[in-house]
Amino acid sequence: MDLALDQARAAGERGEVPIGAVLVIDGTVIAASGNRTREVNDVTAHAEVAVIRKACEELGQERLTGADLYVTLEPCTMCAAAISFARIRRLYYGAEDPKGGAVDNGVRFYAQPTCHHAPEVYSGLQETTSADILRTFFQQKRDVP
Amino acid sequence: MDLALDQARAAGERGEVPIGAVLVIDGTVIAASGNRTREVNDVTAHAEVAVIRKACEELGQERLTGADLYVTLEPCTMCAAAISFARIRRLYYGAEDPKGGAVDNGVRFYAQPTCHHAPEVYSGLQETTSADILRTFFQQKRDVP
């Protein structure tokens, strides 16, 4: 989760909404990324989707069975579904996102009949730090005229 | 929708689940793609996400305000959310997908409070042809020993 937080901070320094994710298989980091939507002009390049794509490319496979994903914020609806499709084993996330989350808020995708694979979910990992990074980022944006 | 069906058929010929999508702005086709998950080893490369990425790259922008998306099957949860994030204006789709859809089935994302932009939705466009392409593909897969 420390690596994911580093990725979040680095994303914020690039002017992206500061969210970070790290994908691990058997204790080895396979991919790490922050949110990259602005950098690559791709609205789907959230941190989770970015690491899933990197890992699929790295491993030459479509599914990431046995992988664990660490992300600083509760995944949104798009990312929650991508995590399911990739067959990720465990999802660890930091802060909850009542406005956009889809795991313990919103559509609660993993509890739905149209979800065909649900990861084990562990929430609240370093949630204060995760939330502080986001809060500081938006506060600074508001302060800039 | 004919172009989207062509993309679906071409995807099937490449061994992909045959779903196709086309993105149009002001009557001009900006991007067209079939499902590409196998070709590029990317579980997120559904037809809808593929055309959104292509269009964002083509236009150099993150949002596709004013764009209309034609897709042969009801979008899944990941794609429904990506369509929302991209601010797509109208979504036209072919067949419904009770098992995996997220527009008129499943999480019905556009009716949820965590959805912050909903496209206008038009369904049932050439739904029989769309469904037949999928049915034939899976039938042939079952027939091959």
Side-chain angles (χ1 to χ4, degrees), chain B residues 19-117:
Chain B
I19 300 165
V22 174
L23 192 134
V24 174
I25 298 180
D26 292 335
T28 303
V29 172
I30 306 294
S33 181
N35 182 22
R36 300 180 67 208
T37 58
R38 288 184 156 206
E39 177 192 350
V40 294
N41 268 325
D42 176 359
V43 76
T44 70
H46 286 192
E48 301 92 314
V49 167
V51 293
I52 288 172
R53 283 192 186 134
K54 271 192 187 181
C56 286
E57 192 182 340
E58 181 78 24
L59 303 172
Q61 60 194 49
E62 258 191 84
R63 290 183 176 173
L64 303 167
T65 312
D68 299 332
L69 183 72
Y70 296 80
V71 55
T72 57
L73 187 70
E74 179 184 356
C76 76
T77 308
M78 174 182 75
C79 293
I83 288 164
S84 166
F85 297 158
R87 301 288 189 275
I88 283 173
R89 180 178 60 173
R90 294 190 189 119
L91 165 65
Y92 300 87
Y93 78 79
E96 282 201 33
D97 182 6
K99 284 187 190 164
V103 177
D104 295 309
N105 290 281
V107 303
R108 291 174 172 75
F109 182 58
Y110 302 138
Q112 303 303 326
T114 48
C115 173
H116 307 298
H117 166 84

Side-chain angles (χ1 to χ4, degrees), chain A residues 25-127:
Chain A
I25 298 180
D26 292 336
T28 302
V29 172
I30 306 294
S33 182
N35 182 21
R36 300 180 67 208
T37 56
R38 288 185 157 205
E39 177 192 349
V40 294
N41 267 326
D42 176 358
V43 75
T44 71
H46 286 192
E48 302 93 313
V49 166
V51 293
I52 288 171
R53 293 179 76 191
K54 270 192 187 180
C56 286
E57 193 182 339
E58 181 79 22
L59 302 172
Q61 60 195 48
E62 256 189 88
R63 289 184 178 173
L64 304 168
T65 313
D68 299 332
L69 182 71
Y70 296 80
V71 55
T72 57
L73 187 69
E74 179 184 356
C76 75
T77 308
M78 175 182 73
C79 293
I83 289 165
S84 166
F85 296 158
R87 300 289 189 274
I88 283 173
R89 180 178 60 173
R90 294 191 189 117
L91 165 65
Y92 300 87
Y93 77 80
E96 283 202 32
D97 183 5
K99 284 187 191 166
V103 177
D104 295 309
N105 290 281
V107 303
R108 291 174 172 76
F109 183 57
Y110 302 138
Q112 303 302 326
T114 49
C115 173
H116 308 299
H117 165 84
E120 293 170 31
V121 176
Y122 303 88
S123 61
L125 279 82
Q126 302 200 38
E127 61 182 319

Side-chain angles (χ1 to χ4, degrees), chain A residues 5-17:
Chain A
L5 289 166
D6 288 345
Q7 290 288 337
R9 288 187 196 98
E13 283 162 17
R14 297 193 306 269
E16 307 272 2
V17 174

